[in-house]
Amino acid sequence: MADPALHPETPTHNQTQPLKQIAIDYTPEACTHCPDANTITLTYDHRGGSRWRTTTRFLYGTFSSLIQCPRGITSGLNFNIYLSSLEGDKSQDEIDFEFLGKDRTIVQTNYYIGGTGNKEEFHDLGFDCSDGFHLYVIKWGQDLIEWLVDGKLVRRVERKKGEAFPHKPMYLYASVWDASYIEEGRWTGKYIGCDAPYVCLYKDIHVPVKSAVEG
């Protein structure tokens, strides 16, 4: 992503900076963070998964990461990067990239307004998301959301007059977890686990420069 110091013409809402600090919500021993290299590793094994997030919320902006998803038979697992006003809050706003372990050649996008989602779309990646690093970008504005993969726009949602739109400040989250209980395994498949540990790699993670919100 553009460094605003080097590219002052970059619009303010697109200016980003490397992620320096994270919080780990659970299983800290399954998450490693190297701020100097701007890399994060999440592992799913007998301990379960793990989840990291930014330490501040942001109100609009561009969020990005290079991601290499876990290899092997990943059926049942969900690995992701997403924005949420607060994970677990029933009235959350949220914007998602989610990978479904049963098929690593697709990615699901979705967004929530006040806890209501049901706006899922599936996108053919044209590659196996575990084969190498690929760039995933969420651009979130007051009236627009865009999802991009390797610079290609895969989905664009514009706010319609009179309709609600995600407006709550949000953390950037990422996790690896067993979702095989959802829809009796129809969403991500049934967890098999024969290739554990499963490792999801994040690097070159960028967040907005000027839209951090305290509290």
Side-chain angles (χ1 to χ4, degrees), residues 4-215:
L6 299 176
H7 303 278
E9 73 280 3
T10 303
T12 301
H13 64 278
N14 287 334
Q15 292 178 3
T16 65
Q17 60 190 351
L19 177 62
K20 293 297 186 183
Q21 291 183 305
I22 65 169
I24 303 171
D25 287 339
Y26 58 86
T27 325
E29 62 272 21
C31 178
T32 60
H33 177 215
C34 182
D36 290 341
N38 195 5
T39 60
I40 301 172
T41 299
L42 288 175
T43 301
Y44 187 93
D45 55 20
H46 64 279
R47 299 167 296 186
S50 187
R51 183 175 69 219
W52 63 263
R53 62 174 173 83
T54 54
T55 56
T56 59
R57 293 181 175 96
F58 299 86
L59 184 60
Y60 310 126
T62 298
F63 305 79
S64 65
S65 179
L66 288 164
I67 305 173
Q68 181 174 351
C69 295
R71 295 173 174 168
I73 298 175
T74 53
S75 179
L77 295 181
N78 177 296
F79 13 101
N80 52 62
I81 191 163
Y82 64 102
L83 302 170
S84 178
S85 54
L86 184 62
E87 180 62 45
D89 182 356
K90 293 181 180 179
S91 63
Q92 90 278 12
D93 285 358
E94 186 171 318
I95 304 171
D96 303 334
F97 263 125
E98 296 187 271
F99 304 94
L100 312 180
K102 68 178 183 181
D103 186 350
R104 295 194 304 263
T105 66
I106 62 172
V107 67
Q108 175 183 292
T109 60
N110 194 10
Y111 65 101
Y112 289 73
I113 304 165
T116 300
N118 301 318
K119 299 174 180 66
E120 299 91 342
E121 288 189 9
F122 296 92
H123 313 278
D124 184 358
L125 290 168
F127 55 81
D128 182 326
C129 63
S130 72
D131 283 348
F133 283 97
H134 294 272
L135 180 63
Y136 301 89
V137 178
I138 295 172
K139 293 185 176 182
W140 169 41
Q142 187 173 352
D143 301 303
L144 178 70
I145 306 170
E146 293 180 334
W147 294 257
L148 300 95
V149 178
D150 289 337
K152 178 183 177 181
L153 182 68
V154 296
R155 184 177 182 183
R156 177 185 174 97
V157 175
E158 294 187 47
R159 182 179 190 172
K160 297 179 181 178
K161 187 175 181 179
E163 289 190 358
F165 210 67
H167 69 281
K168 297 178 181 178
M170 293 197 259
Y171 297 103
L172 178 66
Y173 283 92
S175 65
V176 180
W177 58 291
D178 180 1
S180 59
Y181 65 92
I182 296 176
E183 297 179 356
E184 299 180 343
R186 289 188 293 273
W187 187 41
T188 60
K190 285 291 188 179
Y191 181 67
I192 299 171
C194 59
D195 291 316
Y198 298 100
V199 179
C200 196
L201 304 172
Y202 301 81
K203 71 177 183 179
D204 198 22
I205 308 134
H206 279 68
V207 295
V209 169
K210 295 183 178 180
S211 64
V213 176
E214 297 298 329

